[in-house]
Every structure is written in structure tokens, then in C-alpha cells.
Amino acid sequence: MNTKQFIYRFFTVAVVAGILVACNKDITGRTDNAPALFPANIDINAGAWKPVLLNAPTDIVVAAPIATNTPEYVAQINEIKSFQNNLTSEEENLVAYWGAGAVLRWNEILRELVAKHNLPPYQNANGTYPIPSAANPLAYPLFPFSNPPYAARAYAYVSAAQYDALVSAWYYKKLFNRAAPYKVDSTLKVLVPKSDLPSYPSEDAVVEGATVEMFKLLFPGDQDFIQQKAEEHKRARIISGANVRSDIDAGEALGKAVAQKFVTRARGDRAGAAAGNQAMWTKLETDAIAKGETPWYCLEIPARPPMLPAFGKVKTFLFDSLTVISLRPGPPPSTNSQQMKDETEETYQFIKNTTREHTAIVHFWADGVGTYTPPGHWDAIASEDFITKNFSEVRWARNMALLNMSLMDAAIVCWDTKYYYCNPRPSQLNPAIKTLTGIPNFPAYISGHSTFSGAAATILGHIIPERAAAYSSMAQEASMSRMYGGIHYRSDCETGLIVGKNVGNYAVQRATIDGAE
Amino acid sequence: MKYYLTIPLITVLLIITAPLISNAQTDIDAIMMEKKQFCVGPMYSYGSWKNYWEGTLKRENLNLGTVSTQAFAVMGNYGISGKLNVLFNVPFITTKASAGTMHSMQGMQDLSLFVKWMPVEKQMGPGTFSLYTIGGVAFPLTDYVADYLPLAIGLHSTTATARLMLDYQVNKFFVTGSASYVFRSNITIDRTAYYTTEMHLSNEVEIPNASNFNFRTGYRTSKLIAEAVVNIWSTIGGFDITRNNMPFPSNNMDATTIGANVKYVVTANHNLSLVGGGNYVVTGRNVGQANTFYGSIFYIIDFSPKTKSTNQSGKTN
């Protein structure tokens, strides 16, 4: 019977198709096969670039390297050769992975740690919320809760520390001018692209040392994972023939020492007090009421204290605290005003008549719980573009530092504004507004996504001018996503973008005078 | 005597919220339509849960309240022969959370198509033994959002199911058991990166395959079926929801449900029947502890030249 045969065939095809589908489920990440870093320009004079925190590249002293004709050096070359003699596929993979660039990979690892820790603590039985403790990071609630401000600060410190450490490293590279091992011993195989950049101290180990040191502060409960990555990174560089062990040791020590200066700064940057206390939380409410406004209330059950209400007081990188206040925009429409009613209605209409396309935009930019946050999303966007630009490590670090200092300072200005006005969310003014992504636990005005995106698009457009229009339209879309999702009013988004751009312009200003352009 | 007491039951096997499998389970009972008979009808189901398992930890979520899932479906079963049936199911699903701000979701979910073949049916001891092989595919009909659990209406994965089923009936009592393997394709989500137990810089998500074991027993005649059902669904792999995190499509989702169904044939000529039933998740992992009820009306359209046929399937109840 023909129909029967057809059905049998259908059955067979379905099962076979299923098996094929099942057998081919591996997923390749977008940067898994990133090409080996092969800088178009080694930026040999980057030792003269302007550091963020160091007074001079010589703040940390790096001892002169041993001569390449000493038995000690020859022994280090032999270490490379012995690795290469018994190369395992795991080692080959490590060389390829780390060969794509130290700043890139450690930024990805940082994003991973942020995503892992971006989880609001569960409430206590009495309806209060526990606060993560840096002193006891592995006890619940795990430390940190890497919410967007925490994450923005983490990205900025790590990037800035990497940058300063690399500026110093470049200074010493040029000063000591020790050739790479494969230039000293021409019989040595090299598994990554060759470079004219002097190899002492190792730029990879500088980045690794600086990052690991920063991570002790930022992610104290993940040391096993971090140390394993660090070991793999250092090993990959030796295996590849790019560095001898003394390059690595000197680089790691330099990176750690520079990072310690950033750790000291971080301990005093007021972030530790950003969570505030009951008196502060109450004052936010009473101040708004005194101004005749409806104050923001937490929409979670049980009510969670506002997220980092004193983050606006954290020490910025690109400008001073008075500038933070001068960057604060004027007030949002009064909660009693017709304009606020109209804007609430506009947001309501977006969620009432939502489209699949809008929902996709909301989710693309949501970067909420369990993700690397909006600053991490912009780091991902930047990284994928930087990969195509063949930047040197030091230029990678400089560009990431400019981006991430913008994002942190954007967070500070944004949080200052949010708690200065303490404006309610659309869902508070109209409970019929259901949201297409989680509703954040802080006031609405101004939109964090918009501020972050405005800042990021501005500095990235300066770094890669041919992408400026693309970044600007991404920022616009990220901003609008918050209205489509029922999270924000138009005023929050439009003002947030402008404030973000203003913050980003400080990074652009710095970029034009830091010696790299 | 014709035998068309199909029991289409829905196992709204819930993911933390949404129906994972809301397919009609005519593909999982030991009942065949006769040649050129087409059984079709609407089905409605309502499932809800307040508690769910975050990994192995049972909890509630005050910011979700009670999560409910409604499904309206059309199901059909056509007899190519008494030993070979094809089945379909198309559900429209609506989800809602009673508390918090999360937006409800709705849409056409997945079209499932099954082929059910009964190669063996014979007298064995005091009763009748039959063996079935069932193959099916299900694929999303629309571009619905999967990455919005627990309110997503489904996982948006294309699946292929292979099932072996055994049935034994003595007089008016039967027992049926089946085992299935469900291949589930990867899905793409609207974001470019996500964290499971590690970071993935991709919009593609690996959905773990799954197994399903189903046992049912009860009373079965051409007029009435009453049965108790135990269903055990387990993903093969997947990860646990971390503390206070949101669920994710590639979570490890396990659920054991118990339930009961009744099917009653209304009319004398057997072409109108009513089905009702319910089930409850007794134990699970990364799923909601759902209570689900459903009801449907089925009508049999006879495309065969004669209005009456003999009982080719050999079931004599």
C-alpha cells in the first residue's frame, strides 16, 4: 500500500533525523576560534602612554633580565622544547585559546564570573534579605552579587589595572629589549605568530598577574577556577615558545604589583558603603514625598532594599565627584504631571500590543539576572570588533579600559541620578504594566541601559569610527528595549542616552591625549 | 465491533511553568482507530502550580504566585488501517503568573505528528497481548519565545520521539507500559550569550534529550475507560537552576506524575465521546508541582465505504 509505505518511510526518516539531530548538538562559541593575536602595530612606544593610576611606568621596578647567553636562559629555552616534544591536544588547544589574546580571554573570564554571580540573594525567613560577605564568600548568599553597578566597577578596575600594568611592561620591554625566545634560538618551534616585540616582561603574564590580583578582591570565592585559568595561561605561553619562564615570572610580578595599587584604590572608593542602611533607604522615600512626588517602591515580594543607593558616591575614574553632580540631569516629569501619565500610558501601550520583534529586542538587551549585565554586553560587542582590528595587547587593554571606565562612571552618574530623584517604575504607577523581563530593583529615572549604552557607543565610536553609526543605533535599540519591555518611560531612556554620551565624551577626551593616537 | 475509545490525555508536564509536553497522548495509549476512521476534537486543559523545584529544593516564589497554563488544542487520530494510525495535535497555550510583574505569554505551540503501528496482537494466556511502535515528530509552528521560563509556552525545540509500548488486556482490565526516547534539537534564543554552569558565547542552546516511561492500568470497554496513569519524564542531562535564579530551557527537568482519566462514549453509534482527567506532579526537579485537569470531546468521522466494519484490531471489549 502506497500510503502505508509513505508512512513507514516517514517514521524511519523521523527517527533517523532525530538521531542525527541528537548527534550534532555541539555548540561553537563566537570567539572559540578567534585567530591568534597578530598585531598590525606592536606599539613599541606604549611605555610613554598615559597610565590611569600610576604616576609613571617606573612606579614598579622590574629588574633587568638575565642575559640570553647564560645557562639559566638556555635551561628556560629547553623547558619550552621539552613541552613541545610531548605536546598533547589539550596543550595545543590551550595555545590556540590563549593565543587569541590575554585581554580578550581574561575579559571573557570576567564576564563569566559576573554572570555566575549576578543573582539576587533569596530572602530570610523573616522577610529581610541577607547581604553577601566578602569575608565569607562561599557561604550563602555567595559573594559577590555582581549586579550592574558591581559589574561595571569590576570591569573598569580589571581593565584599568591591565592597562597600567601593560604600559609599564611596554616601558620595560623597550628598555631591556630582550628578544623573544624564538629569536634567540632559531631552532625553537613557535606555535603563535612571531613578533618583533621584546618579550621581557611577558605581556600575557602581566595581564594574568594583574587580573588574578584584582579577582582576589572582586571574586574571592572563585580562586580555584581563577588559579587554574592563570596556570593554563602561563603554561600556554611557554609551550607556544612565545615566552621563557623568566619573561612570565617578571610579567606576573609586575601585573600583581600594579594591580595592588588598584586594589588599594578600590578599598577606598566608597563602593563598600554603597548598599546603604535603613536610615538612608527611608530618607529616599521621605525626601521624594517632601518634594510632592510619589517615591519609588520596590516591587519585589518581600520588598528588597534598593540596589546600591550610595553607588552614586563611588569614586569615578574619568572625572571628579563635582562633575558627577554636574552631569546629573534635571528632574523627570513630576509623578503628578500629565506628561508622566502620558509616558506611563505609552509604556503600557508597548506591553499591551507587544510584537515578537519587540520582545526579541527586549530579550537581546535585557542582560538581567544571571547574565554578564549591560556593561558586559558592551564588552562583548567591543571584543568581537577588536578581534578584527589586530590590536596589540596594550592597545586592547587601553581600549577596554576607556570603555570600562566609561561604563563604571556611567553607572555612578546614573545611580546618583536614580536615587536623587527616586522616581517610580511604570509598573508602580500602573500595575497593569507587566514586564517582558525582570523589573530592576531601583528607581526608574534615568535608564541604566540607556546610560551605559550612550557611554559605550560614544567611546567605541571614537575607537572604531567606521562603526560609530552602528554603535549609535545599537545604543538606541538598547535604550528603546526598556520601553518595549515595560521597564522604563521615554524620559528615562532619552535622558539616559544623553547622560551616557556626556560620560563617554570624557573617555574620548582622555583618548585624544593619552599618547595612543 | 469497532473500537475507538481513544483516550487523549494531556500530560501538561510542566516545566517550571510551561507545558513541556502538552501533546495529546493518544500516542501513548494502546488504542487504535479502525481503517478510514478519523477521530477529532477540541481539548482544553488547565494546569497550575505554586511550588516548584529549584534543583532539588522545593520552594515557592512570591513574585510569581501561582503560575497557570491553559491549553486549547485540536487533536486527531486517523486509521490508515486497524494496525496503523496517524495522530496530530496542535495546542494554543496561554501562561500567566498571579503575582509579580512578569508578562503573560500565549501562542500556537508545537505541531506533533505521530505514527502508531501495532505489528503484534495475539491471544496470550487469558488475555490479549499487543505490541506497538510509535514514532513522532513535533516542531514549533510559530516563532514563540522559549527563553522566558517559567512563562514561556514551550521550549521551541524540534523533537523526534521513538516509543515501544506493550499492552495486555484480560476481560475488561488492562495494563499498558511504554518507554520513549525523545531527541530534542538545539534551540536559538534572542540573546548572544548565556550562563549555564559556564558561559556560552552563542545564541544556540543545547537542549538535553529525554526519556519517558508511562504505565497505565484500569477498566476498558468500548463504552467506558477508566484508568490510572503514572508518567516519568526525565531529561538526560541539563543543569539545575541555581539558588534564586531563573529557570532556563536547558535545565535538567524531571517530573513524575500520577493521574487518572475517564472516557465515556455518549452515543449509541459510538461516534461521540467525552474525556476528562487530571494529573499531579508528585516529584520533580526544576519543574513546577503542577496540578492539571483537562477535558475533551471527540467525534469520529467514518470515511470508510460502509458504516460498520468488523473489529480488525482484534480488541474485543
Side-chain angles (χ1 to χ4, degrees), chain A residues 281-363:
Chain A
W281 306 334
T282 306
K283 189 169 183 300
L284 292 167
E285 181 185 339
T286 52
D287 283 359
I289 292 170
K291 283 191 265 183
E293 299 293 331
T294 302
W296 168 85
Y297 288 114
C298 174
L299 294 172
E300 273 185 71
I301 310 164
R304 189 185 289 275
M307 183 187 288
L308 305 183
F311 194 82
K313 303 278 187 287
V314 170
K315 196 174 167 190
T316 40
F317 269 113
L318 297 169
F319 39 78
D320 59 22
S321 57
L322 287 177
T323 309
V324 173
I325 292 166
S326 74
L327 285 167
R328 181 196 302 152
S334 165
T335 49
N336 310 312
S337 67
Q338 186 58 42
Q339 190 187 341
M340 189 51 108
K341 285 190 180 71
D342 293 346
E343 291 199 21
T344 307
E345 179 61 19
E346 184 186 16
T347 297
Y348 175 62
Q349 289 301 324
F350 273 124
I351 65 102
K352 194 177 161 214
N353 305 307
T354 189
T355 64
R356 181 64 185 86
E357 190 198 351
H358 277 185
T359 305
I361 291 170
V362 172
H363 290 174

Side-chain angles (χ1 to χ4, degrees), chain A residues 25 30 120 301 356 434-435, chain B residues 63 101 143 184 192 201 207:
Chain A
K25 292 175 84 166
R30 282 190 312 285
I301 310 164
R356 181 64 185 86
K434 297 292 179 180
T435 59
Chain B
N63 295 295
T101 71
D143 190 19
R184 304 198 298 173
T192 50
L201 300 181
I207 301 297

Side-chain angles (χ1 to χ4, degrees), chain A residues 1 3-4 7-8 10-11 14-15 18-19 21-22 24-31 108 111-112 115-116 119-123 140 299-302 304 351-352 354 356 359-360 363-364 369-372 377 427 433-437 439, chain B residues 35 59-60 62-63 80-81 84 86 99-103 105 113 115 117 133-137 143-145 147-148 160 162 183-186 190-195 197-199 201-209 242-246:
Chain A
M1 187 195 235
T3 322
K4 213 174 218 177
I7 296 295
Y8 288 139
F10 172 82
F11 174 80
V15 172
I19 291 166
V21 164
N24 187 22
K25 292 175 84 166
D26 290 344
I27 294 164
T28 306
R30 282 190 312 285
T31 63
E108 290 178 347
R111 278 185 258 146
E112 176 162 8
K116 176 184 174 187
L119 294 172
Y122 188 72
Q123 66 264 26
Y140 193 81
L299 294 172
E300 273 185 71
I301 310 164
R304 189 185 289 275
I351 65 102
K352 194 177 161 214
T354 189
R356 181 64 185 86
T359 305
H363 290 174
F364 183 85
V369 164
T371 72
Y372 49 39
H377 196 159
S427 299
I433 298 179
K434 297 292 179 180
T435 59
L436 288 164
T437 186
I439 193 150
Chain B
K35 185 171 181 176
R59 62 167 288 187
E60 62 177 358
L62 299 174
N63 295 295
I80 291 168
S81 77
L84 185 67
V86 291
T101 71
M102 281 181 87
H103 200 286
M105 289 274 148
L113 295 169
V115 175
W117 181 39
T133 59
I134 294 132
V137 292
D143 190 19
Y144 67 80
V145 179
D147 181 20
Y148 191 67
F183 301 95
R184 304 198 298 173
S185 72
N186 291 355
D190 292 328
R191 42 183 165 147
T192 50
Y194 60 93
Y195 186 86
T197 54
E198 59 182 352
M199 198 76 210
L201 300 181
S202 175
N203 64 346
E204 190 180 349
V205 178
E206 182 178 338
I207 301 297
N209 296 332
T242 42
R243 189 73 180 117
N244 216 28
N245 203 343
M246 301 295 283

